[in-house]
Amino acid sequence: MTAPSHATAADQTDIPLIVRASIKLGLIQTTIIVLMAIASRLLEGPAETAALALLLLIGLAVSAGLPGIWTNARTIEGIAGAAGIGLAAAAIFMVIDSLVLQNLGLWTNRWREIGGGSNWWYHPIWWMVDAWLAWMGAWVLAQQAARGMRPSLGMLMGLSVGLTLVVGALAALFHFPGAGWTVASFGVAYLAGLPLAVFVSGMGRKGA
């Protein structure tokens, strides 16, 4: 998957675009989160693991890739705009979660136990993670463009997932606290794998 062509190579950061993109991303992320919650309730064992892994990968691709594609990130302006989309999308999810999802009791006891008995623990974490993913992902896409390539979500995910697997494997092998061969550990490791992808994608840039 590659970024769509724009009439101009300049970053697209008009306020209406940012607002529309934030709403779209927030709704997409909410849908994925709801599906993950349903899968964790209805499935067990390998089926649950496979479903959660697939949904997590889709969620990471959407969160890390779409903001930078929508802003046509080429410079710091487009990268910052993408981070803003991620941040605002988190706010969209929080509103939906507060008004609808919390009242539906969608989250299982497992989620409450992780949060120390509270369903609200993940809100401050979510806006930080959402902005981080969009920021780092847009940076990778901008680096691709700087190397004379057409920004590609597929390449972004291939590189970042590969580096995440390395980070996750090392964490598990060296018994990093909480690390294991699990979907959750992969999700946490992605927060390190993605910035590593920024570093790797910046190697060999034109003019570098």
Side-chain angles (χ1 to χ4, degrees), residues 131-157:
W132 173 259
L133 292 176
W135 176 29
M136 293 291 105
W139 201 341
V140 173
L141 293 172
Q143 300 273 40
Q144 292 174 359
R147 294 174 61 185
M149 304 165 60
R150 189 177 184 188
S152 167
L153 178 56
M155 291 179 61
L156 162 63
M157 290 306 295

Side-chain angles (χ1 to χ4, degrees), residues 3-60:
S5 299
H6 290 277
T8 173
D11 305 273
Q12 307 294 306
T13 56
D14 293 340
I15 295 300
L17 182 148
I18 298 296
V19 172
R20 290 194 301 269
S22 300
I23 294 172
K24 286 191 294 184
L25 182 61
L27 293 175
I28 293 171
Q29 291 173 333
T30 299
T31 300
I32 294 171
I33 291 168
V34 168
L35 291 176
M36 292 184 74
I38 293 173
S40 69
R41 278 183 173 273
L42 299 182
L43 302 175
E44 295 181 355
E48 179 188 10
T49 300
L52 292 179
L54 176 60
L55 289 168
L56 177 61
L57 281 175
I58 295 173
L60 291 174

Side-chain angles (χ1 to χ4, degrees), residues 170-188:
L170 289 174
L173 290 173
F174 286 97
H175 304 291
F176 188 84
W181 306 98
T182 65
V183 174
S185 288
F186 175 85
V188 174

Side-chain angles (χ1 to χ4, degrees), residues 57-129:
L57 281 175
I58 295 173
L60 291 174
V62 165
S63 301
L66 289 186
I69 289 176
W70 286 333
T71 62
N72 199 37
R74 294 294 183 273
T75 67
I76 191 62
E77 180 180 347
I79 296 171
I85 290 173
L87 180 61
I92 297 297
F93 166 73
M94 290 177 192
V95 170
I96 298 173
D97 183 45
S98 301
L99 297 179
V100 180
L101 302 183
Q102 291 282 344
N103 295 323
L104 292 177
L106 196 59
W107 317 125
T108 64
N109 288 332
R110 180 188 314 172
W111 288 96
R112 286 196 292 272
E113 290 167 1
I114 292 175
S118 171
N119 277 327
W120 296 89
W121 65 275
Y122 52 86
H123 280 189
I125 294 174
W126 181 240
W127 68 258
M128 290 185 285
V129 169

